[in-house]
Amino acid sequence: MNSLLTKTGNTYINLPVSFDPEDKQSVSEIIRKLKENPPRDFESAGSWFATFVELSDATNELQTKLDLMFSLDTQDAQTLDRLQHFESQILSQLMESRSELMDIYLNSPWRGSMHADDLGKVKKELVARRKFTASGLGALQIEENQLVREFKTFS
C-alpha cells in the first residue's frame, strides 16, 4: 500500500512537467499565474480552465492518497507528517485562493468557451459552492480534518 504514496512522474497537460502537488512553491506559482492571467480570448479561456481543473485534480489525488494511507495505518508517523504538511502548506493556500479563482471563472466573458458541451453545469455547481469558500472556512475545514484523524486514532 505504501506504493500509493510513491512519487511518480505524472504527465500533466497544462501544468509544468516539474509540478509537484506536495510542494508549496510549485502550487503557489500555478495559483499566482491563474490569478494574474485571467482568460482574455477563446484559446486562453480553455487553457485557464484546464489548468484550474488539473491543479484541483492533482492536489485532490494527493490528499486522497494521504488520507487513505493514514486510515489504513493510523500509527504511520511519516504519512501523518506529510498529511499535516499538505494541509498547512498546500490545502490552506488553495482554500484561500478558491473563491478568487471561482470568481475569475464565473465573471469571465469567455466562460462558455472553456467547455462548450457543459450547458451551464459547471457554473451552476460553482455558484452553489461559492458560498462555502469564505476565507475563514478553510481553517475550519483543516481543523475538522485533524479532529477526524484524532478520532480515528482513538482506541
Side-chain angles (χ1 to χ4, degrees):
M1 276 316 244
N2 257 347
S3 63
L4 278 176
L5 291 177
T6 303
K7 289 188 179 184
T8 58
N10 291 318
T11 304
Y12 298 114
I13 297 169
N14 293 282
L15 296 173
V17 175
S18 62
F19 178 76
D20 179 359
E22 206 164 350
D23 177 63
K24 180 180 181 175
Q25 189 60 38
S26 191
V27 173
S28 295
E29 181 64 19
I30 300 302
I31 291 171
R32 183 191 62 75
K33 286 181 180 179
L34 287 170
K35 287 179 177 182
E36 291 178 1
N37 300 298
R40 62 194 172 287
D41 56 29
F42 182 82
E43 187 178 334
S44 69
S47 177
W48 187 96
F49 184 72
T51 302
F52 177 58
V53 169
E54 202 168 46
L55 172 64
S56 297
D57 290 348
T59 54
N60 287 341
E61 179 183 9
L62 175 61
Q63 183 178 17
T64 299
K65 287 178 178 180
L66 291 168
D67 280 334
L68 177 61
M69 289 304 298
F70 185 74
S71 292
L72 294 172
D73 183 0
T74 58
Q75 303 304 310
D76 184 349
Q78 182 181 8
T79 300
L80 179 59
D81 288 345
R82 284 179 72 184
L83 188 53
Q84 289 174 331
H85 169 81
F86 175 82
E87 287 180 339
S88 67
Q89 301 297 309
I90 310 301
L91 186 61
S92 60
Q93 69 174 317
L94 286 169
M95 296 185 90
E96 274 295 311
S97 302
R98 187 169 49 183
S99 59
E100 187 175 348
L101 295 174
M102 284 180 168
D103 288 345
I104 289 171
Y105 170 82
L106 291 170
N107 295 315
S108 174
W110 299 99
R111 187 180 63 242
S113 63
M114 292 183 192
H115 35 78
D117 62 344
D118 175 63
L119 303 175
K121 179 182 172 235
V122 173
K123 178 185 177 195
K124 189 173 162 182
E125 185 176 312
L126 286 181
V127 166
R129 288 181 176 194
R130 178 64 180 86
K131 62 185 169 197
F132 301 110
T133 62
S135 61
L137 291 178
L140 286 174
Q141 184 175 351
I142 290 170
E143 183 179 350
E144 178 185 22
N145 292 349
Q146 292 168 346
L147 290 171
V148 168
R149 278 195 301 278
E150 286 177 24
F151 178 76
K152 287 179 182 178
T153 60
F154 182 73
S155 48

